[in-house]
Amino acid sequence: MRSTRTTLAAGAVALALTVTACGSGGAAAPTEAPSNTLEVFSWWTAGSEDAALTALTSAFTEQTGAQVQNGAIAGGGGSNSEAVLQTRVQGGDAPDTWQSGPGGRIKQYLDAELVADVSDVYDQNGLRAAMPAAVVDQLGRDGRTYAVPTGAHKLNVLWYNTTVLDKAGVTPAKDLSLDAFLADLEKVKASGVTPLCASTKDAFLPVQLFQNILLATAGPEAFAQLQAGTGNWDTPQVRQAADYFTRIVAYGDTDAAALSWDQAAKRLAAGECAFYSVGDYGYNEFISAGATDGGDLGHVTSPGTDGDFVAAVDAFVVSANTPNTDLAKKWLGVIGEKDTQLAFNKAKGSTPIRTDVDTSSLPPYQQEAAASFRGDTQVLSISDHADPTFVQALNDAITSYLQTKDVNALVQSLSSAATSLQP
């Protein structure tokens, strides 16, 4: 979830980082003395994000007596923070612990030997038995694990304003298809209301819409292969996804280019548009804007993806160069605890990674999302967990496609980028 310009910068720095670190033999030994203050680096600065981060830091301080230096850098989905992080790591000023995630997001640090093995945190806290192997396995390699996850956002969610839809005579089906969704959008348009809330100011949002449509046309197995960089982007299913994407975005808010994702969320809550395709990181934004879960705020799984959970997983790593290794590992132990995960995800609108957390105290939507995470087919988000160089290409390709509607150019760009990721 990045803006295009920042992703270009972050991707370039990431490549330089890998070359530099590997060329110098990987991580160097810490030279500073340990302290009782831990720097925690993230991109969580928005209202619900900051509240969720506070749930983690408060639990950590209460249990350890240590202080937390909040190194958060603002920017939707890490658009600014990752560029800052890469620069700091290259300059030998890495935070003690920083936000990362499975798949391609952590791979760059593993390749450069810049994060510590935290397998002992899993062993000491019984985390392997409590967390899905499909997630944990993508947080490490060679039998070792390098990060502890805090929660998972479901990205394939279609939210709607029930008041607006009632006036338009629309009731979305639980297993809504892409064609039925287009028919619903047309009915809303005929009622005189903007059918689709949208933001193209935040480049990650149309990318997530596209990948949700792609999951519907390609299916979870092919989608997982594309996320891993091993799938084929030149297929009828990808072209079909592009066609549906073109038709759906045509119903989007005409002010989309000027709106951030959270501003678009406020428009849905206010009834200024009918549908909004956004991950459940938007849930608490809807609620804070006055929407009522189960009242004027409704949702279904994104069209064509009922039974699937597209996961954007948050996790934290420990710097291989920090003098505060022991304190940082205590941080990971705390954020992996049941109570901490419950408090964090309740504030953030996401789902605990631990499948043994009692979610009955969560709001209705989050209880449903937790059940989906535990029972549906999990696939990692391409836009969040593919290799960063490919995510850059994906963002660029979708941004360009919104202007040109050139399917051949889209397929060619993504096929070329995926080829470069082959081992």
Side-chain angles (χ1 to χ4, degrees), residues 148-310:
V148 170
T150 54
H153 278 297
K154 183 175 183 178
L155 299 190
N156 56 321
V157 187
L158 180 66
W159 304 90
Y160 55 85
N161 186 296
T162 58
T163 302
V164 173
L165 292 192
D166 286 347
K167 291 179 180 178
V170 172
T171 303
K174 177 181 180 293
D175 56 350
L176 187 66
S177 69
L178 288 165
D179 288 326
F181 179 45
L182 283 165
D184 288 344
L185 289 169
E186 186 61 29
K187 288 180 182 178
V188 174
K189 180 180 178 180
S191 75
V193 178
T194 298
L196 187 66
C197 306
S199 164
T200 55
K201 181 178 181 180
D202 287 323
F204 66 84
L205 204 61
V207 172
Q208 288 181 1
L209 173 60
F210 175 77
Q211 75 172 7
N212 288 339
I213 297 170
L214 179 60
L215 175 60
T217 60
E221 182 177 354
F223 185 93
Q225 292 171 348
L226 292 171
Q227 182 275 326
T230 59
N232 181 9
W233 284 90
D234 192 359
T235 65
Q237 291 77 19
V238 174
R239 291 176 179 272
Q240 184 183 28
D243 176 65
Y244 274 115
F245 180 66
T246 302
R247 294 160 64 190
I248 289 170
V249 297
Y251 290 95
D253 196 327
T254 56
D255 292 332
L259 297 174
S260 62
W261 74 267
D262 51 327
Q263 289 173 327
K266 290 178 174 60
R267 288 204 175 190
L268 183 80
E272 297 173 6
C273 44
F275 290 100
Y276 191 22
S277 178
V278 68
D280 59 16
Y281 51 87
Y283 176 75
N284 280 331
E285 297 297 327
F286 298 133
I287 301 303
S288 65
T292 304
D293 187 358
D296 56 351
L297 177 66
H299 69 277
V300 291
T301 304
S302 294
T305 69
D306 191 44
D308 299 322
F309 188 112
V310 180

Side-chain angles (χ1 to χ4, degrees), residues 342-357:
L342 181 63
F344 168 83
N345 288 283
K346 188 172 186 177
K348 202 164 187 288
S350 48
T351 296
I353 292 292
R354 292 188 65 132
T355 57
D356 57 353
V357 173

Side-chain angles (χ1 to χ4, degrees), residues 74 85 96 152 215 260 419:
L85 175 61
D96 298 310
L215 175 60
S260 62
T419 299

Side-chain angles (χ1 to χ4, degrees), residues 71-90:
I73 300 291
S79 58
N80 298 324
S81 69
E82 288 204 356
V84 173
L85 175 61
Q86 302 288 2
T87 301
R88 286 189 57 182
V89 171
Q90 273 193 295

Side-chain angles (χ1 to χ4, degrees), residues 88-104:
R88 286 189 57 182
V89 171
Q90 273 193 295
D93 182 35
D96 298 310
T97 178
W98 65 81
Q99 185 180 355
S100 187

